[in-house]
Coordinates of all heavy atoms in Angstrom, one line a residue:
M1 N 12.2 -9.6 25.5 CA 12.7 -8.8 24.4 C 11.6 -8.6 23.4 O 10.9 -9.5 23.0 CB 13.9 -9.6 23.8 CG 14.6 -8.7 22.7 SD 16.0 -9.7 22.0 CE 16.3 -8.6 20.6
E2 N 11.5 -7.3 23.0 CA 10.4 -6.9 22.1 C 10.9 -7.2 20.7 O 11.8 -6.5 20.2 CB 10.1 -5.4 22.3 CG 9.0 -4.9 21.4 CD 7.7 -5.7 21.5 OE1 7.0 -5.5 22.5 OE2 7.4 -6.5 20.6
S3 N 10.4 -8.2 20.0 CA 10.8 -8.6 18.7 C 10.0 -7.9 17.6 O 10.4 -7.9 16.4 CB 10.8 -10.1 18.5 OG 9.5 -10.5 18.7
S4 N 8.9 -7.3 17.9 CA 8.0 -6.7 16.9 C 8.5 -5.3 16.5 O 8.0 -4.7 15.5 CB 6.6 -6.7 17.3 OG 6.4 -6.0 18.5
E5 N 9.4 -4.7 17.2 CA 9.9 -3.4 16.9 C 10.8 -3.5 15.7 O 11.7 -4.4 15.6 CB 10.7 -2.8 18.0 CG 9.9 -2.1 19.0 CD 10.7 -1.3 20.0 OE1 12.0 -1.4 20.0 OE2 10.1 -0.5 20.8
K6 N 10.6 -2.6 14.8 CA 11.5 -2.5 13.6 C 12.0 -1.1 13.4 O 11.4 -0.2 13.9 CB 10.7 -2.9 12.3 CG 10.2 -4.4 12.3 CD 9.5 -4.7 11.1 CE 8.9 -6.1 11.1 NZ 7.8 -6.2 12.0
C7 N 13.2 -1.0 12.7 CA 13.8 0.3 12.5 C 13.2 0.9 11.2 O 13.4 0.3 10.2 CB 15.3 0.1 12.5 SG 16.1 1.7 12.5
C8 N 12.6 2.0 11.4 CA 12.0 2.7 10.2 C 13.1 3.3 9.3 O 14.0 3.9 9.8 CB 11.1 3.9 10.7 SG 10.5 4.9 9.4
I9 N 13.0 3.0 8.0 CA 14.0 3.4 7.1 C 14.0 4.9 6.8 O 14.9 5.5 6.4 CB 13.9 2.7 5.8 CG1 15.1 2.8 4.9 CG2 12.6 3.1 5.0 CD1 15.2 1.9 3.7
V10 N 12.8 5.6 7.1 CA 12.7 7.0 6.9 C 13.2 7.8 8.1 O 14.1 8.7 7.9 CB 11.2 7.4 6.6 CG1 11.1 8.9 6.3 CG2 10.8 6.6 5.3
C11 N 12.7 7.6 9.3 CA 13.1 8.4 10.4 C 14.1 7.8 11.3 O 14.7 8.4 12.1 CB 11.8 8.8 11.3 SG 11.0 7.3 12.0
G12 N 14.4 6.5 11.1 CA 15.4 5.8 11.8 C 15.0 5.4 13.2 O 15.9 4.9 14.0
Q13 N 13.8 5.6 13.6 CA 13.3 5.3 14.9 C 12.8 3.8 14.9 O 12.3 3.3 13.9 CB 12.1 6.2 15.3 CG 12.5 7.7 15.2 CD 13.3 8.1 16.4 OE1 13.0 7.8 17.6 NE2 14.3 8.9 16.2
K14 N 12.9 3.2 16.1 CA 12.3 1.9 16.3 C 10.8 2.0 16.6 O 10.4 2.7 17.5 CB 13.0 1.1 17.3 CG 14.3 0.6 16.8 CD 15.0 -0.3 17.8 CE 16.3 -0.9 17.2 NZ 17.1 -1.6 18.2
Q15 N 10.0 1.4 15.7 CA 8.6 1.5 15.9 C 7.9 0.1 15.7 O 8.5 -0.8 15.2 CB 8.0 2.4 14.8 CG 8.6 3.8 14.7 CD 8.1 4.7 15.8 OE1 7.1 4.4 16.5 NE2 8.7 5.9 15.9
V16 N 6.7 0.0 16.3 CA 6.0 -1.3 16.2 C 5.0 -1.2 15.1 O 4.9 -2.1 14.2 CB 5.3 -1.6 17.5 CG1 4.5 -2.9 17.4 CG2 6.3 -1.7 18.6
E17 N 4.3 0.0 15.0 CA 3.2 0.1 14.0 C 3.8 0.7 12.7 O 4.5 1.7 12.7 CB 2.1 1.1 14.5 CG 1.4 0.6 15.7 CD 0.5 -0.6 15.4 OE1 -0.1 -0.6 14.3 OE2 0.4 -1.5 16.3
G18 N 3.5 0.0 11.6 CA 4.0 0.5 10.3 C 3.8 -0.5 9.2 O 3.1 -1.6 9.4
I19 N 4.4 -0.2 8.0 CA 4.2 -1.1 6.9 C 5.6 -1.7 6.5 O 6.6 -0.9 6.6 CB 3.5 -0.5 5.7 CG1 4.2 0.8 5.3 CG2 2.0 -0.2 6.0 CD1 3.9 1.3 3.9
A20 N 5.6 -2.9 6.0 CA 6.8 -3.5 5.5 C 6.8 -3.4 4.0 O 5.8 -3.8 3.3 CB 6.9 -4.9 6.0
I21 N 7.9 -2.9 3.4 CA 8.1 -2.9 1.9 C 9.4 -3.6 1.6 O 10.4 -3.2 2.0 CB 8.1 -1.5 1.4 CG1 6.8 -0.7 1.7 CG2 8.3 -1.5 -0.1 CD1 6.9 0.7 1.3
W22 N 9.3 -4.8 1.0 CA 10.4 -5.6 0.8 C 11.0 -5.9 2.1 O 10.4 -6.4 3.0 CB 11.4 -5.0 -0.2 CG 10.9 -4.9 -1.6 CD1 10.3 -3.9 -2.2 CD2 10.8 -6.0 -2.6 NE1 9.9 -4.2 -3.5 CE2 10.2 -5.5 -3.7 CE3 11.3 -7.3 -2.6 CZ2 10.0 -6.2 -4.9 CZ3 11.1 -8.1 -3.7 CH2 10.5 -7.5 -4.9
K23 N 12.3 -5.6 2.3 CA 13.0 -5.9 3.5 C 13.0 -4.7 4.4 O 13.5 -4.7 5.5 CB 14.5 -6.3 3.3 CG 14.5 -7.6 2.5 CD 15.9 -7.8 1.9 CE 16.0 -9.1 1.0 NZ 17.2 -9.1 0.3
A24 N 12.4 -3.6 3.9 CA 12.4 -2.4 4.7 C 11.1 -2.2 5.5 O 10.1 -2.8 5.2 CB 12.6 -1.2 3.8
F25 N 11.2 -1.3 6.4 CA 10.0 -1.0 7.3 C 9.8 0.5 7.3 O 10.8 1.3 7.5 CB 10.2 -1.5 8.7 CG 9.2 -1.1 9.7 CD1 8.0 -1.8 9.7 CD2 9.5 -0.1 10.6 CE1 7.0 -1.4 10.6 CE2 8.5 0.2 11.5 CZ 7.3 -0.4 11.5
I26 N 8.6 1.0 7.2 CA 8.3 2.4 7.3 C 7.2 2.5 8.4 O 6.2 1.9 8.3 CB 7.7 3.0 6.0 CG1 8.8 2.9 4.9 CG2 7.3 4.4 6.2 CD1 8.4 3.4 3.5
C27 N 7.5 3.3 9.4 CA 6.6 3.4 10.5 C 5.3 4.2 10.1 O 5.3 4.9 9.1 CB 7.2 4.1 11.7 SG 7.5 5.9 11.6
Q28 N 4.3 4.0 10.9 CA 3.0 4.6 10.6 C 3.0 6.1 10.4 O 2.4 6.6 9.4 CB 2.0 4.2 11.7 CG 0.5 4.2 11.2 CD -0.4 3.6 12.3 OE1 -0.3 3.9 13.4 NE2 -1.2 2.7 11.8
S29 N 3.7 6.8 11.2 CA 3.7 8.3 11.1 C 4.5 8.7 9.9 O 4.0 9.6 9.2 CB 4.4 8.9 12.4 OG 5.7 8.4 12.5
C30 N 5.5 8.0 9.5 CA 6.2 8.4 8.2 C 5.4 8.0 7.0 O 5.4 8.8 6.0 CB 7.6 7.7 8.2 SG 8.8 8.3 9.3
E31 N 4.7 6.9 7.1 CA 3.9 6.5 6.0 C 2.8 7.5 5.8 O 2.5 8.0 4.6 CB 3.3 5.1 6.3 CG 2.6 4.5 5.1 CD 1.2 4.0 5.3 OE1 0.8 3.7 6.4 OE2 0.5 4.0 4.3
Q32 N 2.1 8.0 6.9 CA 1.1 9.0 6.8 C 1.7 10.3 6.2 O 1.0 10.9 5.4 CB 0.6 9.3 8.2 CG -0.2 8.2 8.8 CD -1.6 8.1 8.2 OE1 -2.3 9.1 8.2 NE2 -2.0 6.9 7.7
E33 N 2.9 10.7 6.6 CA 3.5 11.9 6.2 C 3.8 11.8 4.7 O 3.6 12.8 3.9 CB 4.8 12.1 7.0 CG 5.1 13.6 7.1 CD 6.3 13.9 7.9 OE1 6.7 13.0 8.7 OE2 6.8 15.0 7.8
M34 N 4.3 10.6 4.2 CA 4.6 10.4 2.8 C 3.3 10.6 2.0 O 3.3 11.2 0.9 CB 5.2 9.1 2.6 CG 6.7 9.1 3.0 SD 7.4 7.4 2.9 CE 7.7 7.3 1.2
V35 N 2.3 10.0 2.5 CA 1.0 10.0 1.7 C 0.5 11.5 1.6 O 0.0 11.8 0.5 CB -0.1 9.1 2.5 CG1 -1.5 9.4 1.9 CG2 0.3 7.7 2.3
Q36 N 0.7 12.3 2.6 CA 0.2 13.6 2.6 C 1.2 14.6 2.0 O 0.8 15.8 1.8 CB 0.0 14.1 4.1 CG -1.3 13.4 4.7 CD -1.3 13.5 6.2 OE1 -0.6 14.3 6.8 NE2 -2.1 12.7 6.8
T37 N 2.4 14.2 1.7 CA 3.4 15.1 1.1 C 3.2 15.2 -0.4 O 3.1 14.2 -1.2 CB 4.8 14.6 1.4 OG1 5.0 14.5 2.8 CG2 5.8 15.5 0.8
D38 N 3.0 16.4 -0.8 CA 2.8 16.8 -2.3 C 4.2 16.6 -3.0 O 5.2 16.8 -2.4 CB 2.3 18.2 -2.4 CG 1.9 18.5 -3.8 OD1 0.7 18.2 -4.1 OD2 2.7 19.0 -4.6
V39 N 4.1 16.3 -4.3 CA 5.4 16.1 -5.0 C 6.2 17.4 -5.1 O 7.4 17.4 -5.4 CB 5.1 15.6 -6.5 CG1 4.7 14.1 -6.4 CG2 4.1 16.4 -7.2
L40 N 5.5 18.5 -4.9 CA 6.2 19.9 -5.0 C 6.7 20.3 -3.6 O 7.4 21.3 -3.5 CB 5.2 20.9 -5.5 CG 4.6 20.7 -6.9 CD1 3.6 21.7 -7.2 CD2 5.8 20.7 -7.9
D41 N 6.4 19.5 -2.6 CA 6.9 19.8 -1.2 C 8.4 19.6 -1.1 O 8.9 18.7 -1.8 CB 6.1 18.9 -0.2 CG 6.2 19.4 1.2 OD1 7.3 19.3 1.8 OD2 5.2 19.8 1.7
D42 N 9.0 20.4 -0.3 CA 10.5 20.3 -0.1 C 10.9 18.9 0.5 O 12.0 18.5 0.3 CB 10.9 21.4 0.9 CG 11.0 22.8 0.2 OD1 10.9 22.8 -1.0 OD2 11.0 23.8 0.9
K43 N 10.0 18.3 1.2 CA 10.3 17.0 1.8 C 10.3 15.9 0.9 O 10.8 14.8 1.1 CB 9.2 16.7 2.9 CG 9.4 17.5 4.2 CD 8.3 17.0 5.2 CE 8.3 17.8 6.5 NZ 7.1 17.5 7.2
Y44 N 9.6 16.1 -0.3 CA 9.4 15.0 -1.2 C 10.7 14.3 -1.7 O 10.8 13.1 -1.6 CB 8.5 15.4 -2.4 CG 8.0 14.3 -3.2 CD1 6.9 13.5 -2.7 CD2 8.6 13.9 -4.4 CE1 6.4 12.5 -3.4 CE2 8.1 12.8 -5.1 CZ 7.0 12.1 -4.6 OH 6.5 11.0 -5.4
P45 N 11.7 15.1 -2.1 CA 13.0 14.5 -2.5 C 13.6 13.6 -1.4 O 14.2 12.6 -1.7 CB 13.9 15.7 -2.9 CG 12.9 16.8 -3.2 CD 11.7 16.6 -2.3
F46 N 13.4 14.0 -0.2 CA 13.9 13.3 1.0 C 13.3 11.9 1.0 O 13.9 10.9 1.2 CB 13.7 14.0 2.3 CG 13.9 13.2 3.5 CD1 15.2 13.0 3.9 CD2 12.9 12.7 4.3 CE1 15.5 12.3 5.1 CE2 13.1 12.0 5.4 CZ 14.4 11.8 5.8
F47 N 12.0 11.8 0.8 CA 11.3 10.6 0.9 C 11.7 9.7 -0.3 O 11.8 8.5 -0.2 CB 9.7 10.8 0.9 CG 9.2 11.3 2.2 CD1 8.4 12.4 2.2 CD2 9.5 10.7 3.4 CE1 7.9 12.9 3.4 CE2 9.0 11.2 4.6 CZ 8.2 12.3 4.6
V48 N 11.8 10.3 -1.5 CA 12.3 9.6 -2.7 C 13.6 8.9 -2.4 O 13.8 7.8 -2.8 CB 12.3 10.5 -3.9 CG1 12.9 9.8 -5.1 CG2 10.9 11.0 -4.3
E49 N 14.5 9.7 -1.8 CA 15.9 9.1 -1.5 C 15.8 8.0 -0.6 O 16.5 7.0 -0.7 CB 16.8 10.2 -0.9 CG 17.3 11.2 -1.9 CD 18.1 10.5 -3.0 OE1 19.0 9.7 -2.7 OE2 17.8 10.7 -4.2
R50 N 14.9 8.1 0.4 CA 14.7 7.0 1.4 C 14.1 5.7 0.7 O 14.5 4.6 1.0 CB 13.8 7.4 2.5 CG 14.4 8.4 3.4 CD 15.6 7.7 4.1 NE 16.3 8.6 5.0 CZ 17.5 8.2 5.6 NH1 17.9 7.0 5.5 NH2 18.0 9.1 6.4
M51 N 13.2 6.0 -0.2 CA 12.6 4.9 -1.0 C 13.7 4.2 -1.8 O 13.6 3.0 -2.0 CB 11.5 5.4 -1.8 CG 10.3 5.9 -1.0 SD 9.6 4.7 0.1 CE 8.6 3.7 -1.0
K52 N 14.6 4.9 -2.4 CA 15.7 4.4 -3.2 C 16.5 3.4 -2.4 O 17.0 2.4 -2.9 CB 16.6 5.5 -3.8 CG 16.0 6.2 -5.0 CD 17.0 7.3 -5.4 CE 16.4 8.1 -6.5 NZ 17.2 9.3 -6.8
Q53 N 16.7 3.7 -1.1 CA 17.4 2.8 -0.2 C 16.8 1.4 -0.2 O 17.5 0.4 -0.1 CB 17.5 3.3 1.2 CG 18.2 4.7 1.3 CD 19.7 4.6 0.9 OE1 20.4 3.7 1.2 NE2 20.1 5.5 0.1
I54 N 15.5 1.4 -0.3 CA 14.7 0.1 -0.2 C 15.0 -0.7 -1.5 O 15.3 -1.9 -1.4 CB 13.2 0.4 -0.1 CG1 12.9 1.1 1.2 CG2 12.4 -1.0 -0.2 CD1 11.4 1.6 1.3
W55 N 15.1 0.0 -2.6 CA 15.4 -0.8 -3.9 C 16.8 -1.3 -3.9 O 17.1 -2.4 -4.4 CB 15.1 0.1 -5.1 CG 13.8 0.9 -5.1 CD1 13.6 2.2 -5.4 CD2 12.5 0.4 -4.7 NE1 12.3 2.5 -5.2 CE2 11.6 1.5 -4.8 CE3 12.0 -0.8 -4.2 CZ2 10.3 1.4 -4.4 CZ3 10.6 -0.9 -3.9 CH2 9.8 0.2 -4.0
K56 N 17.7 -0.6 -3.3 CA 19.1 -1.0 -3.2 C 19.2 -2.3 -2.3 O 20.0 -3.2 -2.5 CB 20.0 0.1 -2.6 CG 20.3 1.2 -3.6 CD 21.1 2.3 -2.9 CE 21.2 3.5 -3.8 NZ 21.7 4.7 -3.1
M57 N 18.4 -2.3 -1.2 CA 18.4 -3.5 -0.3 C 17.9 -4.7 -1.0 O 18.4 -5.8 -0.7 CB 17.4 -3.2 0.8 CG 18.0 -2.2 1.8 SD 16.7 -1.7 3.0 CE 16.7 -3.1 4.1
E58 N 17.0 -4.5 -2.0 CA 16.5 -5.7 -2.7 C 17.5 -6.3 -3.6 O 17.4 -7.6 -3.8 CB 15.2 -5.2 -3.5 CG 14.3 -6.3 -4.0 CD 14.6 -6.8 -5.3 OE1 15.1 -6.0 -6.2 OE2 14.4 -8.0 -5.6
A59 N 18.4 -5.6 -4.1 CA 19.4 -6.1 -5.0 C 20.4 -7.1 -4.4 O 20.7 -7.0 -3.2 CB 20.2 -4.9 -5.7
Ligands
LIG101 ZN1 9.4 6.6 10.6

């Protein structure tokens, strides 16, 4: 059983490579995309909403 796979909070895919923030996990591709996304980009609010999920998990 592969235990290193985690479910990415942004894309919902199970990935091995990525970063852990609190109890959440963001895969490498999503993390790269977030870094490259401009605040004026249409995708930005989506990422912000996803990040909010992480803060809710912490509570
Ligand atoms: Zn992802």
